Amino acid sequence: MPGIIASTYEILEKLGAGGGGTVYLANHLRLGKKVVLKVDKRPITARPELLRREVDVLKHLSHAHIPQVYDFFVEEENVYTVMEYIEGESLDRPLKRGEKYSQPQVVRWAKQMLEALSYLHRPVHGDPPRGYVHSDVKPANLMRTPDNDVCLIDFNIALALGEENVIGCSVGYASPEHYGLDFSSDYDTQVSGYRSGSRLWSSLFRSRKTGGQTEVEGEGEETTVVSDEDSRAATVKLPEMGAGSESAKVRTIVPDVRSDIYSVGATLYHLLSGKRPARHAKEVEPLSEKEFSPQIVAIITKAMNPNPDLRYQTADEMLDAFCHLHENDPRMRRYKAGNRAVVAGLSLLFAVDVAAAFLGLKRMQAREEYLKLAGYSADALSAGDGVSAIQYAMEALPLKKSIWEPSPPAEAQNALAEALGVYDLSDGFKRYRTVELPSEPFCMALAPDGRHGCCVYAYEMAVFDTETAEILHTFPAVESALAEARFLDDRTILYAGREGLQAYDMERDEVLWNGKPATIIRVSGDGRRVAAVYRDEEFATIYDAADGEIVCTIPFEGRHQRVVANDVGANPQDNLLELNEDGSMLGVSFEDGSLVIYYVDEPGRGRTLLDNTSGYDHFEGGFYRQYFAFSAANSGNSALAILDIANWEQLWGFQANYRAYSVRTDEDGIYVMMDNILVNVHPVTGEQTPLVTTSERLCGFAKSNTHTLVAGEEHFLFFDQDARQISSYEKGQGSSFVLLSEETALMGSIDSPVVQIMRYGNHPEAEIFAYDASYEHEEARRSADGKQVMLFSHKGFRVYDVGGMMIAEESIPNPEQVYDQQYIRDGDLSRLEVRYNDGTVLVYDAGDGELLQETSGEKPDRSLDEEFYTDRLRISAPLHGIPTAYDLQTGKLKAELDKEAYLTYATQAGEYVVVQFITADGYYYGQLLDEDCCVLAELPWLCDVIGEKLIFDYPTGNMRESRIYDIGELVSIARQALSRE
Amino acid sequence: MGWFSDEILFYGGLIMAGVVLGILVIYLCASHARLARLNARLDAEYGEREKAGANRKGRN
């Protein structure tokens, strides 16, 4: 070899030689740089100009792990390739010394190799763009640099140049395709041959009968280069392949990137194991998964798959496998999978818990809302607004069942039952509606038929319908708190209008007549005359009620009625101004304490009942027939007197040293209210007939033909004409005004703009028995056969048939010794057992009152609590204590029942429990409970439970029956009620 | 479900969510330690992972 090549390169030393040529280390004379000079002895068939162009392209190959090609030229028929000199040692040398490389090291080099191949294979080089196949990857062609990187050398330039007859083929590293073996998926694993195009490859294993090319068995290190000028088929025997003596046709197979993949795999195999792989791909012994990582083994095994279709199809693929060793490691996968599962599971659990908490919160909020609405319903009912009470209660019951809506609370059902009054079958006045005025009233009036009411407030008079609670009209009133309004009849209202006294006809909606200014207005008993006084004027004007003609003017002789300094905001109602039945007499009280009765038809003539020395400043009273009753009071004492004004004779008089009396009269009598009683006083005999007796101090009263309404300190109370209390309602406000007609009651206060309307209702359809209400009894029972009713107490009993005929009446001996009474239904028979303190037991037939037997037994143990059992409850009722319900199965405390009364009975009624109580006052009632002992309904005056029927015994002498309404029925009833509004 | 159940649902859900969250945090800490150990082991087997493109020193 000459020392200087191409006048540029000085040969320094021979580096090696192989089938492709000889490699020298040279010095670039001009650059003073070491280069590698590879001399290739094979002829180049490419045209010079193509050659030049390709060389120019190759010179632009640039990769960290591929030596750069600097130049390519031909001299003296030798092809020279000038490449970058890579300092270092090829990897085969340590292998020959028996060294092995560590797995991490091999992995690192594998990545570098594959990156270089990926670069080479990329179809971006050349013109037209194409990729290059290395075709001779092996440890000997990997240079280990001082940095411990590898460089892939001995790139087959000729191949890159498109030479058809050259191929690198190192035994053990070459893919089966290099030997013409096609194990691809579409072919048998035999050599098969066909002629295709101009390329022809031939096997390396035996001498061929073609001429002149070297063939090497391939056990050595050198790369064999084989070419075949003969494009005809060659016969090859492949005993190793088991082809026997059969001849196989030569097949044209083009080594592609997958061949390089195979070579990389084989190289890695050798680097790891220290052993060169077998020549034949199918004879390669798999790497041990115990010695090497299974993933690495799998990669190499795949790369060395005889079937190129089953190898990695690109260097990038294989590189990706190496780059993701960590991620794809089964341990890492297991870790990640496990981690994902645990995190997912915990996250799911967390989400479920949060969802559960959210659901619970929403349900709690919904329940709170329901309870609030139930409270609103109860408040509305207390305030007298039944319609609003029903509406609120309905809002507290969810329309649809959903997971977000808890079951309606018992309070809601209770509120609805109360608002509907389904369990109040008593005859009496019930809360109906309310009217809200623009401001607090000074005065109220109720039409005789109860269909309309009117109120005077600052400073208007409003007329409203008591059926609809709708304000129909408003009229301007005189600006005084003394202004009044009165119903002349069912359709005519007299009121203190701003322009004067006015008579307004509601039906015709017109003012009938106007009078002079007025504040106080009174009407005669016959409705023909009207008396009116304006503030502190010193006269009264008498009008004809029909047309407003002034009948006369009554002068007060310089006196006037009591008027506060500022009458704009308050009316103390201290004045008496009353006409008698025919309007011929006018009673008037004055500020000076005098009280005079004037003769209307004889103006100026009057009779002084009290003079100005009386010292009284508050007067009440009126006319009853020929009598005049009045009360007069001051802060220290009071007086009551009844006079016969025909004879001007005082019939009765009372005095008290406090403000004791309140007197009113109407066409039916004289009424006196004192402390906690209301009596009707006979003017002649003085006999007092009690109308009302209560435990509360009375503040006001109103009377109709059939009932009396009183306002106590805390309750409104209704009494029948026998002075029996029939109903009681808590006052939600003060009660300055109580008014009553046969079927309508109005309650109002100077402290509230809300006027309550109550309507009379009765339930004859529910009646099962009526009796003399005057008979005192503690309990009432219907017999098992439904034919008799027994009313009994510890003193005695009565037995009636359901028609009302009394069958028997008995007294119970020694009633003060009675310990307990039990009414027992036994099949069709019923009996009353009376137990005495000494253990004696009397048994009476509840059908006819006959004493069936008398026995002696053990004395009852008073220390024992009474116990009741239902399907799921044990209810303990201590004599002095709170009745308590326990779960029958578990014994756990369920609830404490009403502690304000004594529990008398507990009965299972279908799915409900009905408990009965009695108060110290003798008032008995029941409660409908659900399975959690929550109160679903109050049952006033409940006396008995038969199956699922509720029996009520009212003080009016009526026994009535009702079924138990479930929530659906209550809702249906409510909807019907609201639809009528 | 009565009010009692709703309360259990709410407070129980909150408590359980807190407990699960705590378990999750503890698990993640332990898992992180396990991952570090596993990575160290894999690094010993496969070599340390390189950053993407660390081997590509070439100009292309």
Side-chain angles (χ1 to χ4, degrees):
Chain A
M1 175 60 95
I4 304 293
I5 306 297
S7 308
T8 305
Y9 304 101
E10 179 187 6
I11 303 298
L12 296 176
E13 65 178 280
K14 180 178 177 182
L15 295 175
T22 310
V23 180
Y24 298 93
L25 176 65
N27 182 37
H28 194 293
L29 293 174
R30 285 193 289 277
L31 299 177
K33 179 177 169 180
K34 287 183 182 170
V35 298
V36 166
L37 206 65
K38 184 175 177 184
V39 183
D40 201 327
K41 295 177 184 169
R42 291 166 295 189
I44 300 299
T45 59
R47 296 198 304 276
E49 54 276 18
L50 282 177
L51 180 65
R52 190 72 251 161
R53 190 164 67 234
E54 288 300 329
V55 168
D56 287 339
V57 171
L58 288 172
K59 286 197 292 189
H60 290 100
L61 287 178
S62 175
H63 192 273
H65 302 295
I66 298 175
Q68 187 152 16
V69 175
Y70 294 136
D71 202 0
F72 183 88
F73 58 90
V74 179
E75 187 173 279
E76 296 179 1
E77 298 184 352
N78 289 327
V79 177
Y80 293 88
T81 311
V82 185
M83 293 180 292
E84 179 186 356
Y85 171 59
I86 303 299
E87 193 175 350
E89 182 185 49
S90 63
L91 293 182
D92 63 325
R93 298 212 176 150
L95 287 173
K96 285 177 183 172
R97 294 195 292 268
E99 293 176 20
K100 285 196 290 187
Y101 302 104
S102 68
Q103 184 177 274
Q105 182 69 78
V106 172
V107 169
R108 182 164 172 268
W109 288 337
K111 292 178 188 174
Q112 292 172 353
M113 257 194 287
L114 290 166
E115 284 178 3
L117 284 175
S118 173
Y119 175 78
L120 266 181
H121 292 165
R122 219 171 293 164
V124 296
H125 313 292
D127 181 19
R130 61 172 183 261
Y132 297 126
V133 177
H134 187 282
S135 81
D136 197 17
V137 177
K138 60 182 179 179
N141 286 339
L142 289 168
M143 292 299 291
R144 184 180 185 178
T145 67
D147 294 335
N148 204 29
D149 291 334
V150 292
C151 212
L152 185 60
I153 63 170
D154 207 10
F155 172 47
N156 193 328
I157 305 301
L159 184 65
L161 294 176
E163 291 299 312
E164 298 177 350
N165 297 323
V166 293
I167 179 175
C169 185
S170 301
V171 173
Y173 308 109
S175 65
E177 303 87 88
H178 282 77
Y179 304 115
L181 297 173
D182 186 358
F183 293 108
S184 64
S185 304
D186 297 335
Y187 295 93
D188 294 335
T189 55
Q190 300 291 330
V191 174
S192 59
Y194 62 89
R195 193 169 301 180
S196 170
S198 61
R199 291 194 170 199
L200 183 64
W201 301 95
S202 51
S203 168
L204 298 173
F205 294 108
R206 291 286 182 266
S207 299
R208 271 182 250 105
K209 293 180 181 177
T210 57
Q213 296 299 326
T214 306
E215 179 183 287
V216 179
E217 280 291 321
E219 292 293 340
E221 294 295 327
E222 295 128 1
T223 300
T224 56
V225 177
V226 178
S227 66
D228 191 345
E229 294 177 6
D230 188 349
S231 62
R232 296 183 185 277
T235 300
V236 177
K237 288 185 180 176
L238 300 169
E240 298 89 339
M241 301 305 295
S245 60
E246 287 184 24
S247 298
K249 293 182 181 176
V250 174
R251 183 173 179 269
T252 302
I253 303 169
V254 179
D256 57 16
V257 298
R258 298 175 297 178
S259 307
D260 276 350
I261 297 296
Y262 184 95
S263 300
V264 168
T267 300
L268 296 176
Y269 183 106
H270 195 174
L271 292 175
L272 271 178
S273 64
K275 290 191 307 184
R276 182 198 290 237
R279 179 192 313 165
H280 306 299
K282 293 209 169 192
E283 292 177 359
V284 174
E285 193 177 321
L287 291 170
S288 166
E289 288 191 356
K290 292 181 183 175
E291 194 176 345
F292 309 106
S293 297
Q295 259 202 111
I296 304 290
V297 171
I299 293 173
I300 292 173
T301 302
K302 182 174 178 179
M304 294 182 70
N305 196 306
N307 183 347
D309 295 331
L310 299 181
R311 298 174 202 156
Y312 294 102
Q313 299 300 296
T314 62
D316 281 330
E317 248 184 78
M318 193 171 177
L319 175 62
D320 189 72
F322 275 110
C323 289
H324 291 91
L325 283 172
H326 283 72
E327 291 85 346
N328 294 332
D329 188 278
R331 290 161 293 181
M332 181 61 80
R333 283 179 183 264
R334 275 197 302 274
Y335 165 81
K336 286 188 176 176
N339 203 40
R340 269 197 297 271
V342 171
V343 171
L346 289 176
S347 300
L348 181 65
L349 198 56
F350 178 76
V352 167
D353 292 332
V354 168
F358 182 71
L359 175 64
L361 178 66
K362 283 297 175 188
R363 288 173 65 94
M364 285 167 59
Q365 287 176 339
R367 183 168 286 276
E368 284 299 314
E369 186 65 21
Y370 297 153
L371 290 174
K372 209 187 323 181
L373 288 166
Y376 292 160
S377 174
D379 292 343
L381 193 64
S382 295
D385 190 349
V387 174
S388 294
I390 295 173
Q391 288 171 336
Y392 280 126
M394 286 289 282
E395 285 180 44
L397 297 166
L399 290 173
K400 295 177 189 173
K401 284 192 177 179
S402 80
I403 194 171
W404 300 103
E405 305 281 355
S407 303
E411 290 84 347
Q413 186 170 339
N414 190 2
L416 185 58
E418 283 290 301
L420 293 172
V422 291
Y423 297 117
D424 183 1
L425 301 175
S426 62
D427 296 341
F429 287 85
K430 312 290 170 61
R431 286 195 167 98
Y432 181 62
R433 284 180 182 263
T434 58
V435 178
E436 181 139 7
L437 302 171
S439 63
E440 296 79 359
F442 302 139
C443 172
M444 281 172 50
L446 180 65
D449 62 1
R451 290 177 55 193
H452 296 90
C454 65
C455 293
V456 180
Y457 52 91
Y459 300 104
E460 288 181 331
M461 191 277 293
V463 182
F464 56 87
D465 187 323
T466 58
E467 177 71 30
T468 63
E470 185 187 346
I471 294 179
L472 301 173
H473 306 283
T474 57
F475 304 93
V478 67
E479 291 187 10
S480 169
L482 303 175
E484 292 183 352
R486 294 278 182 262
F487 275 87
L488 187 60
D489 51 41
D490 289 338
R491 56 188 280 181
T492 309
I493 301 174
L494 299 167
Y495 71 98
R498 202 163 294 174
E499 306 303 320
L501 176 64
Q502 301 215 325
Y504 168 72
D505 187 312
M506 289 189 297
E507 282 188 20
R508 287 155 59 177
D509 189 22
E510 65 177 9
V511 175
L512 298 176
W513 51 264
N514 294 301
K516 291 198 239 178
T519 50
I520 298 178
I521 303 167
R522 292 291 184 271
V523 181
S524 62
D526 60 6
R528 291 184 178 183
R529 283 187 175 176
V530 178
V533 173
Y534 180 63
R535 284 190 161 121
D536 59 352
E537 280 188 343
E538 296 172 354
F539 61 91
T541 306
I542 309 298
Y543 299 85
D544 186 320
D547 55 16
E549 286 292 321
I550 295 176
V551 174
C552 66
T553 301
I554 307 291
F556 292 154
E557 298 141 346
R559 291 174 288 192
H560 60 82
Q561 290 202 296
R562 185 177 173 76
V563 174
V564 295
N566 178 9
D567 70 336
V568 176
N571 180 359
Q573 301 193 358
D574 291 331
N575 295 307
L576 186 157
L577 183 77
E578 295 292 336
L579 284 168
N580 65 347
E581 177 67 23
D582 61 4
S584 61
M585 291 190 160
L586 177 70
V588 186
S589 67
F590 296 101
E591 188 185 31
D592 62 4
S594 57
L595 176 66
V596 178
I597 294 179
Y598 292 94
Y599 293 91
V600 171
D601 297 320
E602 299 174 51
R605 183 181 169 213
R607 190 86 175 203
T608 300
L609 303 182
L610 292 171
D611 61 21
N612 58 5
T613 63
S614 72
Y616 295 120
D617 55 19
H618 176 83
F619 295 88
E620 295 181 30
F623 293 91
Y624 167 62
R625 295 182 183 169
Q626 78 265 33
Y627 307 102
F628 182 73
F630 71 93
S631 66
N634 57 28
S635 57
N637 52 71
S638 58
L640 164 69
I642 299 175
L643 289 83
D644 181 339
I645 55 177
N647 303 318
W648 291 108
E649 177 188 355
Q650 180 175 320
L651 302 176
W652 300 98
F654 306 93
Q655 279 193 312
N657 57 1
Y658 62 97
R659 198 159 178 162
Y661 309 108
S662 177
V663 177
R664 195 180 303 167
T665 63
D666 63 15
E667 64 273 15
D668 295 321
I670 300 170
Y671 308 98
V672 179
M673 186 172 75
M674 296 172 290
D675 295 330
N676 63 328
I677 62 170
L678 175 67
V679 298
N680 182 320
V681 179
H682 193 282
V684 176
T685 65
E687 182 184 353
Q688 297 177 18
T689 304
L691 298 177
V692 168
T693 305
T694 76
S695 56
E696 297 180 44
R697 191 171 185 282
L698 300 177
C699 308
F701 74 95
K703 199 175 169 311
S704 69
N705 292 332
T706 52
H707 296 92
T708 304
L709 165 63
V710 294
E713 287 170 319
E714 294 181 7
H715 295 85
F716 293 117
L717 304 145
F718 288 87
F719 291 80
D720 64 9
Q721 48 198 351
D722 296 322
R724 272 191 298 266
Q725 181 180 323
I726 59 173
S727 57
S728 167
Y729 298 93
E730 283 191 11
K731 283 168 58 176
Q733 57 192 35
S735 55
S736 306
F737 312 106
V738 284
L739 302 162
L740 190 65
S741 69
E742 291 309 308
E743 296 195 352
T744 305
L746 290 185
M747 288 85 103
S749 168
I750 59 174
D751 301 319
S752 169
V754 176
V755 176
Q756 290 191 43
I757 304 172
M758 299 184 86
R759 300 296 292 268
Y760 183 80
N762 56 2
H763 298 275
E765 75 286 351
E767 183 119 319
I768 56 173
F769 176 66
Y771 59 90
D772 178 8
S774 65
Y775 179 69
E776 289 186 8
H777 60 285
E778 293 164 357
E779 298 188 48
R781 292 286 187 276
R782 191 170 66 179
S783 63
D785 59 7
K787 294 179 181 175
Q788 293 88 30
V789 171
M790 176 180 262
L791 310 176
F792 58 94
S793 70
H794 64 286
K795 293 180 182 176
F797 61 84
R798 281 186 184 176
V799 180
Y800 295 85
D801 66 19
V802 290
M805 175 83 68
M806 186 165 68
I807 298 172
E809 181 175 13
E810 295 292 335
S811 297
I812 291 175
N814 300 320
E816 66 279 358
Q817 294 299 317
V818 171
Y819 170 71
D820 186 32
Q821 291 175 302
Q822 289 283 334
Y823 187 95
I824 298 169
R825 295 185 189 91
D826 188 2
D828 285 341
L829 301 176
S830 305
R831 61 182 187 273
L832 176 69
E833 288 187 2
V834 181
R835 192 176 295 274
Y836 287 85
N837 291 327
D838 62 1
T840 304
V841 177
L842 300 181
V843 180
Y844 293 90
D845 186 335
D848 57 16
E850 290 292 319
L851 177 65
L852 294 176
Q853 67 179 61
E854 179 175 344
T855 59
S856 294
E858 287 185 14
K859 290 183 183 180
D861 188 350
R862 289 180 175 273
S863 65
L864 289 177
D865 296 344
E866 196 166 5
E867 287 197 339
F868 303 94
Y869 292 88
T870 65
D871 290 352
R872 286 185 288 272
L873 297 173
R874 176 179 67 82
I875 301 174
S876 171
L879 189 60
H880 303 287
I882 302 170
T884 312
Y886 300 89
D887 187 285
L888 193 61
Q889 299 293 327
T890 64
K892 283 187 181 173
L893 173 69
K894 272 281 205 178
E896 289 184 346
L897 305 181
D898 196 340
K899 53 190 171 189
E900 300 297 328
Y902 179 70
L903 179 71
T904 55
Y905 293 99
T907 313
Q908 187 76 37
E911 61 193 66
Y912 307 100
V913 171
V914 179
V915 289
Q916 293 172 249
F917 298 90
I918 188 166
T919 67
D921 296 336
Y923 165 60
Y924 44 92
Y925 64 97
Q927 289 180 332
L928 185 70
L929 307 180
D930 63 11
E931 59 183 16
D932 295 321
C933 296
C934 296
V935 179
L936 298 175
E938 299 285 342
L939 308 171
W941 300 110
L942 180 74
C943 70
D944 198 5
V945 180
I946 302 177
E948 294 187 32
K949 296 283 188 194
L950 305 174
I951 311 295
F952 300 87
D953 177 26
Y954 295 103
T956 50
N958 306 98
M959 280 183 74
R960 292 187 173 143
E961 180 181 88
S962 170
R963 60 193 173 87
I964 297 175
Y965 295 90
D966 62 29
I967 187 64
E969 290 170 316
L970 291 175
V971 169
S972 178
I973 295 169
R975 285 190 180 136
Q976 287 175 16
L978 292 175
S979 67
R980 287 194 293 268
E981 295 304 320
Chain B
M1 293 175 72
W3 68 268
F4 189 59
S5 300
D6 295 339
E7 299 256 341
I8 288 178
L9 208 55
F10 174 61
Y11 292 110
L14 279 182
I15 292 169
M16 282 304 299
V19 167
V20 168
L21 197 60
I23 293 173
L24 187 61
V25 168
I26 293 170
Y27 174 79
L28 288 174
C29 291
S31 176
H32 187 75
R34 261 180 65 207
L35 181 63
R37 282 197 299 273
L38 182 58
N39 276 331
R41 195 170 164 185
L42 294 178
D43 285 346
E45 281 187 35
Y46 303 132
E48 287 188 8
R49 279 180 294 183
E50 292 155 2
K51 292 180 186 174
N55 282 334
R56 300 177 191 238
K57 302 176 196 171
R59 285 174 288 281
N60 289 337

